[in-house]
Amino acid sequence: MLATATRLSYRAGALRINAARLMDTLHHTCQWGATAQHGPALTDTGMCRLALSDEDKVVRDWFGAELQATGCEVSVDQMGNMFGIRSGNHIGAPTVAGSHLDTQPTGDALRTLRDAGHRTEYPVGAVNWTNEEGARFPRSLHGSSVWAGDLSLKDALALEDVKSPGLTAGHDLERIGYRGSLPADVARNPLAAHFELHIEQGPILEDAGAQIGVVLGGQAYRWFDVHISGRESHAGSTPLDVRADPLLCAARLMELANTVARDLSGVATTGILSLRPGSINTIPGTVDLTLDIRHISDEKLDEMEARILDEAEGITKRLGTNGCSIEWKKTFQKAPVMFHDDCVGAITEAAERHLGEGGAQTIYSGAGHDSCSTARHCPTGMIFIPCKDGISHNPVEYSTPEDCAMGAQVLLDAMLLYDSKRVA
Amino acid sequence: MLATATRLSYRAGALRINAARLMDTLHHTCQWGATAQHGPALTDTGMCRLALSDEDKVVRDWFGAELQATGCEVSVDQMGNMFGIRSGNHIGAPTVAGSHLDTQPTGDALRTLRDAGHRTEYPVGAVNWTNEEGARFPRSLHGSSVWAGDLSLKDALALEDVKSPGLTAGHDLERIGYRGSLPADVARNPLAAHFELHIEQGPILEDAGAQIGVVLGGQAYRWFDVHISGRESHAGSTPLDVRADPLLCAARLMELANTVARDLSGVATTGILSLRPGSINTIPGTVDLTLDIRHISDEKLDEMEARILDEAEGITKRLGTNGCSIEWKKTFQKAPVMFHDDCVGAITEAAERHLGEGGAQTIYSGAGHDSCSTARHCPTGMIFIPCKDGISHNPVEYSTPEDCAMGAQVLLDAMLLYDSKRVA
């Protein structure tokens, strides 16, 4: 950790990402899990590469080989998280680029280091976190949560495939050969810093015409299951003024949550709603819905929650919904995450080097990412690039090759800036 | 059809329903299909006697035997509609009490005639209409619609069990021995008048403290399938002002329909709603819902429809739902039904005889009934009795023994008043 005054620190842009190679690699790896062709080109497909599937094994094998080819030592922990680390001038915890499945920009950053023969101060590398999405095994940030101590290894391995009850994550980790021996534990496998490049999954950067988003942190969020009971009755013979219609109550609740979110600059969403009995001429007896509320401030989120729950009581006294009752169950809550000044600073410096002052837009992440797991244990930062129409998790998800290359460039630069400052 | 000036016309209340026997019979027949025990008494059950099931056959056999025991001739038409007709002084089309499944009050009225040795002017009788509910074979007013010419016999017989595709109504009519030879055709099997006793299925009579409802007609109604397209996106990373949220759009549409219905004294109901993809942290991409609107006036219903469809366009330009699109498909519409002055008059006269002037409350039917099929072909009237809390189609549906007996009494009186006036 000795710094020498004469050492030149890294200057952003000194090493350049090979944009053409990056796109080739992106498309190359999309052969494993390509689905939902939606246009004439070979690459007009969606991707469906579920965690711990055969396709996941193939891309993991490919990624491991690529890491080794860039001079990394590859290890796999008990959760199948893959760490590829390239040594530096000093021994110490590595600065890494974390990612999941779509591990290519990270790979290209490491190839660039190799090709330039660049030696970092401390180790740098890449992590492929297991099952970030939680689509097949229903726990998002699955691998990184175990590493961070938010989820026990036992519970994580026992998690079952949503479509094949009894088939555990532990079983399939074993099956594809990625149940490693390295402890999935921040204390025994620490990181010096964690950077992550991701598409925004929203429309803010595109609307602002910004090519890079410097992510300041992640929103706090809370999930509720809401059960509304009313009075099932006949659509024709029940006048409006004697109805206790739980679906109209749900409608008013959704409008209320939207109004409160707007007033307090948060967001509120209902993504699931079901009702009983479900007949065209029957006022439902019960409605179940979810409510997802988010804010960058936990205090403001407290205020949102209190206002929604309080004002919802008024709805149960209005005409048409008078007599409905609302039960709330909070099923999940997540505190806000603030990223580290040093990481945010390195990303900003890198982005401004390429885009000019003000060329990087600060932004908060609305979604959960592995960086939210790492942020409480090591300095962490995230970079967003725009995605077309804010669409993600959809076959038509698209980011331009230029934005992908710029994202990889800023990632590389930010990691090297951070690394060089460890000895400054 | 000759009237003699000296003939005494029937005076309401001259013949009396046997209330105790009626209740015994009601409970006796509920052994066939009893379900959903909800209290300690033997009779604290719901009823599930699906059309053309084995239980339906048993109760039909019982009903046929009872009709014959009261001196009726029983015939069955091509749709399994059962006609029990008792001759009068004159030959002609019969005045009937129509009903479905719960055929007991009708039976008791005929027993009362038999026991009193009362001879009517013209034939009187009872009809058990097949599959009024449409729960198993999905067409309400199934049997009466064929008789009235609103549905072809061929289509009616080809209708399939909702839970056993391929199993037709024609097949099960044959199986239980109720596919008769009498033409299911108003022209070849005409009725002189049709009276029907039913529970209100709403809370109006109970709230008004009225024991008898004189039904003036049935509401017009229209059904719509509504498809709303929005933009599926992430609940966390999509700010409110760029959302095209089809579920919030549906919420605003339901509030709009409710407001318009209230302004114009109609009703509006959404009984079915589904959405895609259905994930707690994803703003849905599409929502499908039904809309049922009703009014006693077709012109007012036109106005309701126009206002809802017109103002819905405004919703697709509001913050949060801007950019949603709404597609409307009208799947069913029914003109209003007005019952016949002579039948309404007979029911009113009978009710006032027992309850005093003003003791009968006029009311419109919100639901469809077999009387809506008959009303366009013969003078028709309906009697409602209160049901507890307005609840029907539910195991806890309940009317008091006193109200059941009063309903049967008014039914008997109204039929006999109508019959006696045919020669006046």
Side-chain angles (χ1 to χ4, degrees), chain B residues 35-38 44-47 391 393-398:
Chain B
T35 186
Q37 188 87 30
H38 58 82
D44 290 343
T45 71
M47 282 297 303
I391 293 169
H393 288 191
N394 190 306
V396 300
E397 170 180 313
Y398 177 76

Side-chain angles (χ1 to χ4, degrees), chain A residues 200-204 207 219 223-225 231-240 242-243 245 247-248 250-252 254-255 257-258 261-262 266-275 277-284 290-292 294 318-320 331 364-368 389-394, chain B residues 200-204 207 219 223-225 231-240 242-243 245 247-248 250-252 254-255 257-258 261-262 266-275 277-284 290-292 294 318-320 331 364-368 389-394:
Chain A
E200 179 199 338
Q201 302 183 282
I204 297 172
D207 287 355
Q219 290 178 324
W223 286 352
F224 298 87
D225 283 349
R231 202 162 45 241
E232 182 182 325
S233 44
H234 192 285
S237 48
T238 313
L240 297 183
V242 299
R243 294 185 179 200
D245 181 343
L247 187 55
L248 185 61
R252 288 170 173 173
M254 288 188 270
E255 185 68 80
N258 188 263
R262 199 162 57 214
V267 289
T269 304
T270 293
I272 300 175
L273 186 149
S274 62
L275 54 82
S279 158
I280 189 168
N281 60 353
T282 303
I283 299 159
T290 59
L291 182 66
D292 169 315
R294 303 185 186 224
R318 285 176 59 188
L319 192 134
T331 57
Y364 282 87
S365 172
D389 298 327
I391 293 171
S392 71
H393 289 192
N394 189 307
Chain B
E200 180 198 337
Q201 302 184 281
I204 296 171
D207 287 355
Q219 291 177 324
W223 286 351
F224 299 88
D225 283 348
R231 203 162 44 240
E232 183 183 326
S233 44
H234 192 285
S237 48
T238 314
L240 297 183
V242 297
R243 293 183 181 203
D245 181 344
L247 187 54
L248 185 61
R252 289 170 173 173
M254 289 188 269
E255 185 68 82
N258 188 263
R262 198 161 59 213
V267 288
T269 305
T270 293
I272 300 175
L273 186 150
S274 63
L275 54 81
S279 157
I280 189 166
N281 60 354
T282 303
I283 298 158
T290 59
L291 182 67
D292 169 316
R294 303 186 186 223
R318 285 175 57 189
L319 192 135
T331 57
Y364 282 86
S365 172
D389 298 329
I391 293 169
S392 72
H393 288 191
N394 190 306

Side-chain angles (χ1 to χ4, degrees), chain A residues 171-241:
Chain A
H171 175 276
D172 262 18
L173 265 178
E174 197 82 60
R175 186 182 68 82
I176 66 168
Y178 277 88
R179 186 158 169 179
S181 56
L182 184 67
D185 178 357
V186 53
R188 296 170 72 185
N189 183 28
L191 299 175
H194 185 267
F195 288 88
E196 187 174 357
L197 170 62
H198 208 283
I199 64 166
E200 179 199 338
Q201 302 183 282
I204 297 172
L205 295 178
E206 188 182 48
D207 287 355
Q211 205 174 1
I212 290 291
V214 180
V215 188
L216 299 179
Q219 290 178 324
Y221 62 98
R222 297 176 194 175
W223 286 352
F224 298 87
D225 283 349
V226 187
H227 178 76
I228 308 180
S229 302
R231 202 162 45 241
E232 182 182 325
S233 44
H234 192 285
S237 48
T238 313
L240 297 183
D241 58 354

